[in-house]
Amino acid sequence: PHAGPVESRNEAAMSELVPEPRQKPVVPMKPVGINASLLGYIGIDTIIEQMRKKTMKTGFDFNIMVVGQSGLGKSTLVNTLFKSQVSRKSSGWNREEKIPKTVEIKAIGHVIEEGGVKMKLTVIDTPGFGDQINNENCWEPIEKYINEQYEKFLKEEVNIARKKRIPDTRVHCCLYFISPTGHSLRPLDLEFMKHLSKVVNIIPVIAKADTMTLEEKTEFKQRVRKELEVNGIEFYPQKEFDEDLEDKTENDKIRQESMPFAVVGSDKEYQVNGKRVLGRKTPWGIIEVENLNHCEFALLRDFVIRTHLQDLKEVTHNIHYETYRAKRLNDNGGLPPMAVETEENHESNL
């Protein structure tokens, strides 16, 4: 017997309710290890060489700031690091040179070339820091300078017609010089690092380490590490920015053993066993700057230049600058700074 019209209507209604069986999603095939000998050489590995050529053409920026009381050998140490007169060096003491009344900030730029690699190095000096009777808030001009460089970069970045390569004046690294007292950090040291560790990569350095015996040096280093930890001061390399296990292992060793680097700087050469070495002459022998048995200068140099220079730049860009940028755009209601304010308004806001 034929189905009546009512039944066929019911069937139609049912078929509307029952969803059509969905097609199963296509499972992507697992990548199969390609037999290179079968297909021959592709040339993916040349990408590294291509990147090297490009960066060689443009060169690198590296901006290093030195902070500490006068007389701790800051200029000498930076000159030793880069093996050239890159930091101001007073040619002997003269009477006219008074201690600056406030913290001044002097940036000196140089181009250093080695093996075809060009580096535009800027050394930012802070004469007058910690030299007054009252050193209250003497880190403020330094913090202001660091933030001004972030602001300058941000302004260039949010321009409609922006430069292909924005000049980078941001401070990538701040060497903070601790006086070799052998006791503990001064309140000024703690205050400076507490404020500045949030905006810049701080590397603590014990200056003129040849004034301490080996035992004093080891004890002082442990004490400084403990005090920084107790006060919650994060120095570079910060724990939370270790990218993988290899980074963590390498950086833990630096954090727990090397920091703060106890260093001696010198730009004078001496003959030792027929070899020319950078050193300091004392009545009982020559302290060789690059000899690890004498001081940790070589460790500091390898750390700042040979292993972590690129990372210092990346942490500055991805962490410190990003933090500044996010805050700045938030304060502005998410608008780029220049859409809201003129240059004069901005100056009064700072």
Side-chain angles (χ1 to χ4, degrees), residues 44-102:
I44 298 166
D45 55 0
T46 61
I47 199 162
I48 300 294
E49 185 56 26
Q50 293 169 43
M51 286 161 77
R52 195 184 76 88
K53 274 187 181 163
K54 280 223 156 181
T55 43
M56 289 272 279
K57 274 181 197 164
T58 47
F60 299 87
D61 292 308
F62 187 59
N63 310 318
I64 186 167
M65 179 183 255
V66 286
V67 182
Q69 280 173 286
S70 54
L72 288 179
K74 300 187 295 292
S75 306
T76 307
L77 188 86
V78 175
N79 290 341
T80 318
L81 265 179
F82 296 99
K83 286 201 167 49
S84 49
Q85 295 290 331
V86 290
S87 192
R88 67 184 178 104
K89 192 87 171 76
S90 52
S91 50
W93 183 77
N94 65 36
R95 284 178 202 168
E96 287 75 51
E97 247 190 54
K98 293 190 181 79
I99 289 172
K101 288 276 182 290
T102 55

Side-chain angles (χ1 to χ4, degrees), residues 158 203 265 269 319 326:
V158 294
I203 297 176
E269 284 190 350
I319 311 293

Side-chain angles (χ1 to χ4, degrees), residues 143-303:
E143 190 170 19
K144 184 170 178 270
Y145 175 85
I146 291 168
N147 284 330
E148 276 168 3
Q149 307 320 305
Y150 292 147
E151 181 66 28
K152 213 186 270 185
F153 196 88
L154 179 62
K155 279 209 153 127
E156 286 290 350
E157 212 176 40
V158 294
N159 270 344
I160 292 170
R162 59 184 184 180
K163 296 172 184 164
K164 186 180 169 194
R165 192 162 175 269
I166 299 171
D168 191 359
T169 58
R170 299 169 299 180
V171 181
H172 299 126
C173 165
C174 170
L175 290 182
Y176 186 77
F177 285 70
I178 297 164
S179 194
T181 57
H183 294 287
S184 54
L185 291 172
R186 296 169 307 160
L188 173 64
D189 300 330
L190 293 170
E191 282 297 309
F192 176 88
M193 289 193 260
K194 217 175 256 179
H195 282 84
L196 273 286
S197 61
K198 294 178 182 70
V199 294
V200 71
N201 293 320
I202 289 184
I203 297 176
V205 167
I206 296 168
K208 300 200 163 176
D210 52 338
T211 59
M212 295 191 282
T213 67
L214 291 175
E215 290 81 18
E216 284 170 345
K217 188 168 79 175
T218 310
E219 269 177 41
F220 189 42
K221 281 177 69 140
Q222 284 170 350
R223 193 170 300 155
V224 169
R225 277 200 293 272
K226 188 90 192 113
E227 283 190 34
L228 292 174
E229 194 184 319
V230 167
N231 287 279
I233 294 165
E234 282 270 316
F235 50 81
Y236 179 85
Q238 300 91 329
K239 282 183 190 132
E240 67 257 45
F241 310 143
D242 292 342
E243 286 184 6
D244 51 36
L245 195 63
E246 188 190 347
D247 270 10
K248 189 181 178 326
T249 314
E250 188 185 337
N251 289 342
D252 273 346
K253 195 167 182 292
I254 291 161
R255 284 187 284 257
Q256 290 156 17
E257 294 171 26
S258 309
M259 290 281 184
F261 295 97
V263 294
V264 177
S266 169
D267 37 22
K268 289 197 170 63
E269 284 190 350
Y270 294 97
Q271 289 280 124
V272 176
N273 302 333
K275 268 171 42 190
R276 294 173 76 78
V277 296
L278 286 171
R280 283 168 64 82
K281 196 170 189 181
T282 68
W284 44 86
I286 287 169
I287 294 154
E288 297 167 40
V289 167
E290 298 190 19
N291 184 337
L292 278 175
N293 296 324
H294 293 199
C295 86
E296 293 166 1
F297 170 80
L299 286 178
L300 173 70
R301 184 211 40 220
D302 291 356
F303 176 63

Side-chain angles (χ1 to χ4, degrees), residues 13-27:
M14 286 290 286
S15 67
E16 276 172 33
L17 289 172
V18 177
E20 284 180 32
R22 279 205 193 139
Q23 285 182 327
K24 279 187 180 174
V26 180
V27 179

